[in-house]
């Protein structure tokens, strides 16, 4: 009978790998330095290990609030960055890459148009793409 384990980084909660082993001792032999184990299979694309042993869904970056040509985030996740694309050109043209941080986190569009924002933030936040018109 095989047991399933997930190896993770205790500092960040990032899932490193999944493994099957006959015993816990066998799994520990295959564990990388500084990593810990939790029982079960946990997909690092959707989960991280919070609090040392709790599989938790990774949060998605919240969509911005829009007021006219201004987009804002009340509580931006750490490391929030936006790639801004102009959708009026084919293929879409990247206009800017901008870090966004509190307390004045926002993007102001000087010209009206259609834009796509590809948003990323520090782990464990999942990226988000949104289209906006201003």
């Amino acid at each position: 009978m095989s047991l399933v384990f997930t190896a993770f980084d205790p500092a960040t909660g990032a899932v490193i790998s999944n493994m099957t082993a006959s015993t816990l001792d066998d799994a520990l032999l295959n564990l990388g330095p500084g990593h810990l184990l939790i029982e079960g299979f946990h997909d690092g694309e959707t989960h991280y290990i919070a609090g040392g042993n709790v599989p938790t869904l990774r949060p998605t970056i919240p969509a911005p609030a829009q007021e006219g040509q201004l987009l804002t985030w009340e509580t931006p996740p750490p490391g929030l960055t936006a790639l801004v694309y102009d959708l009026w050109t084919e293929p879409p043209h990247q206009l800017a890459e901008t870090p966004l941080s509190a307390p004045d986190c926002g993007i102001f569009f000087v010209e009206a148009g259609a834009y796509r924002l590809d948003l990323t933030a520090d782990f464990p936040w999942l990226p988000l793409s949104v289209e906006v018109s201003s």
Side-chain angles (χ1 to χ4, degrees):
M1 178 170 137
S2 291
L3 302 170
V4 178
F5 297 96
T6 296
F8 67 97
D9 179 340
T12 63
V15 171
I16 305 300
S17 65
N18 291 285
M19 66 178 88
T20 58
S22 302
T23 66
L24 173 60
D25 288 337
D26 289 341
L28 290 171
L29 291 173
N30 293 306
L31 192 62
H35 298 157
L36 296 178
L37 284 179
I38 186 172
E39 276 193 71
F41 175 88
H42 305 289
D43 184 350
E45 293 296 316
T46 57
H47 287 80
Y48 71 111
I49 311 302
N53 63 1
V54 179
T56 304
L57 283 173
R58 291 177 58 190
T60 300
I61 296 169
Q66 183 172 4
E67 188 174 314
Q69 290 176 244
L70 178 64
L71 300 177
T72 60
W73 287 262
E74 185 175 325
T75 309
L80 182 60
T81 300
L83 291 175
V84 181
Y85 293 89
D86 179 356
L87 296 181
W88 285 8
T89 60
E90 190 58 46
H93 175 72
Q94 182 179 333
L95 298 174
E97 177 176 357
T98 183
L100 303 165
S101 60
D104 299 321
C105 181
I107 297 174
F108 181 78
F109 295 103
V110 177
E111 294 184 25
Y115 302 94
R116 184 182 79 224
L117 303 176
D118 289 344
L119 303 166
T120 58
D122 294 346
F123 184 85
W125 293 92
L126 291 169
L128 176 70
S129 286
V130 294
E131 291 186 9
V132 296
S133 296
S134 64

